[in-house]
Amino acid sequence: MLAAERHSKILEQLRAEQSVTVSELSQALDVSEVTIRKDLIKLENDGLLTRIHGGATITDFLPVERSFTEKLAERSEEKLAIAHQALSHIQPGDTIMIGAGTTTMELAKLLRGMNDLTVVTNAVNIAMELNSQGKHHVILIGGEMRHKSFALVGSVAAENLRNLSVFKCFIGADGIHPEHGLTTLNLAEAQINQVMMERARKVYVLVDYSKFGETYLAKFAGVSDVDRIITDAAARPFVERYVELGINLELASPQGVSR
Amino acid sequence: MLAAERHSKILEQLRAEQSVTVSELSQALDVSEVTIRKDLIKLENDGLLTRIHGGATITDFLPVERSFTEKLAERSEEKLAIAHQALSHIQPGDTIMIGAGTTTMELAKLLRGMNDLTVVTNAVNIAMELNSQGKHHVILIGGEMRHKSFALVGSVAAENLRNLSVFKCFIGADGIHPEHGLTTLNLAEAQINQVMMERARKVYVLVDYSKFGETYLAKFAGVSDVDRIITDAAARPFVERYVELGINLELASPQGVSR
DNA sequence: GAAATAAAACGAAAGTATACAAAATAAAAC
DNA sequence: GTTTTATTTTGTATACTTTCGTTTTATTTC
């Protein structure tokens, strides 16, 4: 086998799996690990991958803020379960909106397993993730960028959204309360959430159990203004109250998914 | 067997397999490896294949756009020098526009050493970089996202830009030619570049030496339509021609910077 | 500190370039 | 229509370079 052939196979696997290990490649291509390492060095110099201890990953030059990554790690199992549940509402070919947030970011990652979506979002990190998946049409609205959340906000963002209409919209919230409704820490983001809700036929809100009973600065909707609230199993204690109010609550459990 | 016959068989196999090896061909065509190598040298000179150690592969003669990271690794020293030179035109507090591209991405990275800028861009990766620096006000225009370049393009992008005005604008180009002007591989990006130029008082174009004499699909400006062209020292041979035309060329050298 | 991974050094093997000789073919001369 | 002369093509031989794997020595990671 030619060296160039090996290189393209390595890149192929990398695209499919996101990461490769030296030992794995050494076995699969039937050459020594030293050779694989030399290949990886060459490919890294060409900017085609990033070497890490034990193998390589796709080049990810996104300077992702630590605070955000830390946040992402919090209750990631619950968020993943919620994202999985939300995913079940999305079909290939759909046109959807996704708001900024850590739970919605989890949902975006899961869209790797979906094809041919048109996704409108105001979250720059979500747009980057979807772009890297390479199979969706990504529309990012314009606006001023918020440092912490990667969200685009402001009048330009709102104006851009008003020219778009979708069927389904998935947004997150920092707090959910039977009386105070859905709230976020930031006013500008709340405004964008509001516009997103206007532009979608069906609105899904993704919140983990820790958000229940919390209220923050900016309210963007009442609990009954949305079509469905998707949360995790740990939110079960709060369910009753919402069912009384006639709210559609969907509980996702890490193992499977229940209603 | 005639030599020409051998050549066509080699090309045939190449089209079928993407790559061929010298030993394989030597056996199949029953001639020595030296002969095969001479054949391959001839075919390479004719631009019909690319020779590699052990054999040959097909040549991609189409100017296909490669991945962003791949481009980023190329001529990175020159790009850095150019970016440094461009940086000298930026003052703290400035409001600037930055177009999509690998050289402009280098410039964005250097803005870490600058304070309090307001930056308008159509490049999602540049917005992410600037956001991570945490000291600038970042405005991303909306639009459809291009996979390869992370650029936001389309009518929404253009419309967003038309509502903004800045003093300085920094854009890249894929090709620069005295007659054919500044060109890019992609039409949609050329359109955005055009609008950016309209919205800025002073336009700086960042191109490394390899872009000189090249022409691609979409022209977005003539060489004299921009205020300054910033390039690297290796472009010196081309300078004279541009000076004749009365074009402002600025050469950046890796060590320092000269005019 | 142990295990895994990486780097460096070295040598063997595979591949390449060049020179030169031997065919084969073409051109010229008689 | 030969024979001679040049030209081209191909193969052998040799020196050189690149590639790759083994071994040894460092460096990470847990």
Side-chain angles (χ1 to χ4, degrees), chain A residues 124-175:
Chain A
V124 181
N125 55 328
I126 287 177
M128 285 296 263
E129 164 65 26
L130 293 172
N131 189 61
S132 81
Q133 296 175 11
K135 37 190 182 178
H136 307 302
H137 185 194
V138 182
I139 296 167
L140 194 59
I141 62 169
E144 299 163 54
M145 196 158 171
R146 292 235 318 128
H147 283 155
K148 300 258 174 72
S149 66
F150 301 97
L152 294 169
V153 299
S155 59
V156 176
E159 200 47 53
N160 280 185
L161 274 176
R162 290 209 175 87
N163 294 320
L164 301 167
S165 287
V166 298
F167 202 84
K168 297 164 191 164
C169 165
F170 298 84
I171 53 183
D174 291 326

Side-chain angles (χ1 to χ4, degrees), chain A residues 9 23 33 49 54-55 65 73 88 90 112 117 119 132-133 135 138 148 161 166 185 195 210 217 224 233:
Chain A
K9 292 206 175 183
S23 59
E33 301 202 338
L49 51 77
E65 210 169 314
S88 69
I90 302 174
R112 188 172 288 278
L117 297 174
V119 183
S132 81
Q133 296 175 11
K135 37 190 182 178
V138 182
K148 300 258 174 72
L161 274 176
V166 298
L185 279 155
V195 181
S210 72
L217 175 70
S224 56

Side-chain angles (χ1 to χ4, degrees), chain A residues 212-239:
Chain A
F212 278 80
E214 301 289 322
T215 301
Y216 293 97
L217 175 70
K219 172 173 173 178
F220 63 89
V223 286
S224 56
D225 296 338
V226 301
D227 296 285
R228 194 149 296 196
I229 293 165
I230 301 177
T231 185
D232 58 287
R236 199 173 290 281
F238 305 97
V239 170

Side-chain angles (χ1 to χ4, degrees), chain A residues 175-184 213-223 242:
Chain A
I176 176 169
H177 189 282
E179 283 142 44
H180 305 139
L182 298 160
T183 51
T184 65
E214 301 289 322
T215 301
Y216 293 97
L217 175 70
K219 172 173 173 178
F220 63 89
V223 286
Y242 286 82

Side-chain angles (χ1 to χ4, degrees), chain B residues 16 52 86 92 158 199 219 236 254:
Chain B
I52 55 175
R199 309 307 307 168
K219 173 175 173 174
R236 199 173 291 283

Side-chain angles (χ1 to χ4, degrees), chain B residues 237-257:
Chain B
F238 304 96
V239 170
E240 203 178 337
R241 182 70 200 283
Y242 286 83
V243 171
E244 276 171 24
L245 292 165
I247 312 283
N248 264 322
L249 260 178
E250 218 169 84
L251 292 185
S253 61
Q255 311 85 308
V257 139

